[in-house]
Amino acid sequence: MKVWPSIGQMRWGWFLLGAAIILVWPAFFDTHTPTILLVWALFALSLGLMWGYAGLLSFGHTAYFGLGAYVYAIAVVNIGESTVPLLLAILIPAIVAAIIGAMMFYGRISDVYMGVITLVVSLILFKFMSATAGDKYAIGDARLGGFNGIPGFPVLNVPGLPDVSLFGVPMYYVAAVALLGCYLICRWILARSFGRVLVGIRENEGRCELLGYSVPAYKTAIFSISAAMAGLAGCLFANWAEIVTPSVFSLRSAAEVIIWVIVGGLGTLVGPILGAIVLGMLKLLLSEQTVIDNSLILGFILVVVVLAIPRGVVPALQYWFGRRARIRTQRSAHTRARRRVAAPVRPS
């Protein structure tokens, strides 16, 4: 995989343009659907950071997305105020991922077995939460509910003010700030030596070990950071849907986020975000009809992208625009050279 020279470089112009569009959107359009698109974009960003820059593919990344949703729902039912549940929805998935990651990476598990283990973790959580129907399956005042999940819990509120709930446009801005903030954090990580080591691990793990870096520690750290971001996305999803069911751990959800990242483009941060927004919107539009199954369309798009532009849409566009810029520069240089050669020499 090509290592882009701008791997940690921040293009502030494009970032400010995107942030401005996101922030002014509620002034002109509805925010219900864009809110979930931003949540999915955050979820895809969490996987894109780990997979695209450290080379760690988690087939069960939905485990941490679902944990964030369930932890928030259970905690907020028992506490009644959303500040601590929000923090727990970020912290618990990160701790679980750190434990699982340490066992995998310090145990020198290969990439194939890592994918299998992460997928199994997600399926175990799906099966377990599906079997929690009945009054005996409860944590404090929160009944887990089995397939029916946990409905009707309090949504996010202004910290310290439980009576001031955040829904509608305020919820949209919470999701927008979370996405933009996590994007900046990802850029900061990649601009530091930590991010450079992650890319080095992706390119040649053995050489990084010979240079003295603790590869398992770096892998565990980025695995945990990615899980924390996925947990935050899960928490925001729970507040948007106002219900949490075992479907957040499903195989379908696990496959969708991988498709979003592949189509958008590995090795970029914008790619997974755009992939999640575009394909997520397509998913919502297709859900309005019953003629064709959504999975068939997403699978067809994945096959076309992998065959036509295997690096993804954003890296392909970067290459195309970069190539056009180089061609223009070369043509300008050749034109100036010809003019200098053709210019008549004035007698002294």
Side-chain angles (χ1 to χ4, degrees):
M1 183 182 293
K2 182 179 177 62
V3 182
W4 293 93
S6 59
I7 196 168
Q9 179 180 345
M10 185 70 184
R11 294 181 174 87
W12 286 105
W14 287 107
F15 174 79
L16 294 176
L17 176 61
I21 293 174
I22 292 174
L23 295 178
V24 302
W25 183 274
F28 304 98
F29 304 101
D30 179 64
T31 59
H32 182 71
T33 298
T35 299
I36 188 57
L37 295 179
L38 294 179
V39 172
W40 285 340
L42 176 58
F43 184 31
L45 175 65
S46 68
L47 179 61
L49 173 67
M50 179 178 67
W51 186 13
Y53 291 94
L56 303 176
L57 171 57
S58 171
F59 283 107
H61 205 53
T62 48
Y64 312 108
F65 180 82
L67 275 176
Y70 265 99
V71 167
Y72 174 82
I74 293 170
V76 78
V77 168
N78 286 280
I79 297 175
E81 201 269 343
S82 67
T83 304
V84 174
L86 173 61
L87 297 176
L88 290 176
I90 300 172
L91 184 61
I92 297 300
I95 294 174
V96 173
I99 295 172
I100 296 175
M103 290 189 295
M104 290 191 301
F105 302 131
Y106 282 97
R108 304 293 178 175
I109 297 296
S110 65
D111 294 341
V112 175
Y113 288 107
M114 174 195 163
V116 174
I117 291 172
T118 53
L119 180 59
V120 168
V121 170
S122 183
L123 294 179
I124 288 174
L125 290 172
F126 174 75
K127 290 294 184 181
F128 174 76
M129 298 309 300
S130 299
T132 56
D135 295 336
K136 63 180 180 180
Y137 293 102
I139 300 177
D141 296 329
R143 295 176 56 185
L144 300 183
F147 277 110
N148 295 322
I150 307 175
F153 48 82
V155 298
L156 288 172
N157 58 261
V158 176
L161 300 174
D163 296 331
V164 184
S165 299
L166 301 175
F167 57 90
V169 175
M171 180 60 199
Y172 170 85
Y173 280 119
V174 170
V177 170
L179 175 61
L180 295 175
C182 287
Y183 178 84
L184 291 176
I185 291 173
C186 291
R187 279 296 177 198
W188 181 82
I189 290 173
L190 296 175
R192 307 275 77 78
S193 59
F194 179 81
R196 300 289 179 175
V197 174
L198 291 179
V199 176
I201 292 172
R202 182 193 69 188
E203 297 299 319
N204 195 320
E205 182 176 328
R207 183 171 295 177
C208 287
E209 288 186 332
L210 291 175
L211 291 173
Y213 294 106
S214 177
V215 171
Y218 277 90
K219 285 185 174 182
T220 303
I222 194 61
F223 193 67
S224 182
I225 293 172
S226 178
M229 293 172 55
L232 174 59
C235 171
L236 297 178
F237 173 80
N239 281 272
W240 176 84
E242 297 186 45
I243 186 174
V244 179
T245 65
S247 62
V248 293
F249 299 111
S250 67
L251 185 61
R252 182 188 185 121
S253 299
E256 283 178 347
V257 67
I258 293 175
I259 293 175
W260 296 339
V261 174
I262 292 176
V263 172
L266 279 173
T268 67
L269 296 179
V270 176
I273 292 175
L274 295 180
I277 291 175
V278 174
L279 295 183
M281 189 65 203
L282 179 62
K283 170 187 173 181
L284 295 176
L285 293 175
L286 290 174
S287 64
E288 299 176 359
Q289 54 83 40
T290 57
V291 178
I292 303 176
D293 187 81
N294 296 352
S295 301
L296 295 177
I297 301 297
L298 290 177
F300 176 76
I301 293 174
L302 175 63
V303 171
V304 170
V305 169
V306 168
L307 293 178
I309 42 177
R311 291 185 297 177
V313 174
V314 171
L317 291 176
Q318 286 178 331
Y319 174 78
W320 185 73
F321 283 113
R323 186 168 178 269
R324 285 180 59 88
R326 288 193 298 271
I327 291 175
R328 286 196 300 268
T329 302
Q330 291 174 358
R331 287 177 178 175
S332 299
H334 292 163
T335 301
R336 290 193 298 269
R338 286 196 299 268
R339 288 175 179 174
R340 286 196 296 268
V341 171
V345 180
R346 296 181 181 179
S348 56

